[in-house]
Amino acid sequence: MKKLFFILFLLGSMVVSAQEWQPTYTDAVEVSSEGNKPIILVFSGSDWCAPCIKLDRGIWQSKEFIDYSNENYVLYRADFPRKKSNRLPDAIAQQNAKLAERYNPKGYFPWVVVLDPKQEVLGTTGYRNITPSAYISLLNAFVK
């Protein structure tokens, strides 16, 4: 019985600390408008871009960023994987391509765009070899 409670506790804590990336950009805009939170739009090549992978592991997956972002940001990853096994559904791939035309016309990876709830650009950045708290400060500097 103790093992069952321990397993349930672990599963519950994993759910609580999980980061919420919106499944579509439309969802991100809706959640942003409802909560009046900035959108963190991340252009990523998740299976080929080394700096994108470093940004994901060092910042996006950090407990500090997860805890902060769950309360303060709406997250959407516009991913551009190259491996066939990681291919996105056509509708999402098309949506990401349209977002790239608008917010990342030069095709930088990774490219992080901070948007207000009206989808206006507040600032942009990319990979930085800094701590999660410094990256949060960088993103917040665009919002204020």
Side-chain angles (χ1 to χ4, degrees):
M1 190 66 153
K2 287 182 182 179
K3 286 183 181 180
L4 177 62
F5 284 117
F6 181 72
I7 291 170
L8 290 175
F9 173 77
L10 284 177
L11 290 174
S13 64
M14 287 176 12
V15 170
V16 169
S17 67
Q19 196 167 39
E20 188 171 347
W21 291 87
Q22 296 301 311
T24 68
Y25 182 71
T26 304
D27 291 330
V29 171
E30 185 177 312
V31 172
S32 172
S33 295
E34 289 171 0
N36 195 32
K37 295 179 183 179
I39 299 169
I40 307 300
L41 171 60
V42 180
F43 290 92
S44 178
S46 64
D47 63 4
W48 59 270
C49 169
C52 300
I53 295 166
K54 286 180 183 179
L55 184 61
D56 184 52
R57 290 181 183 158
I59 304 297
W60 309 142
Q61 291 182 25
S62 72
K63 181 173 178 3
E64 184 174 359
F65 187 83
I66 290 169
D67 291 345
Y68 189 86
S69 66
N70 284 341
E71 296 296 320
N72 297 283
Y73 303 139
V74 177
L75 305 174
Y76 181 73
R77 185 184 327 259
D79 197 16
F80 293 83
R82 290 186 179 165
K83 294 180 182 175
K84 287 183 183 181
S85 61
N86 297 332
R87 185 174 174 194
L88 299 173
D90 288 341
I92 299 295
Q94 290 171 5
Q95 176 184 28
N96 291 352
K98 287 181 183 177
L99 289 170
E101 286 176 19
R102 181 173 179 186
Y103 297 112
N104 190 8
K106 294 184 180 180
Y108 296 134
F109 288 92
W111 192 241
V112 180
V113 183
V114 181
L115 303 167
D116 68 14
K118 295 178 183 177
Q119 303 176 65
E120 297 297 322
V121 176
L122 300 173
T124 60
T125 190
Y127 171 74
R128 305 257 180 120
N129 188 18
I130 57 178
T131 65
S133 62
Y135 209 91
I136 290 167
S137 295
L138 173 66
L139 297 176
N140 285 342
F142 298 132
V143 176
K144 297 175 180 175

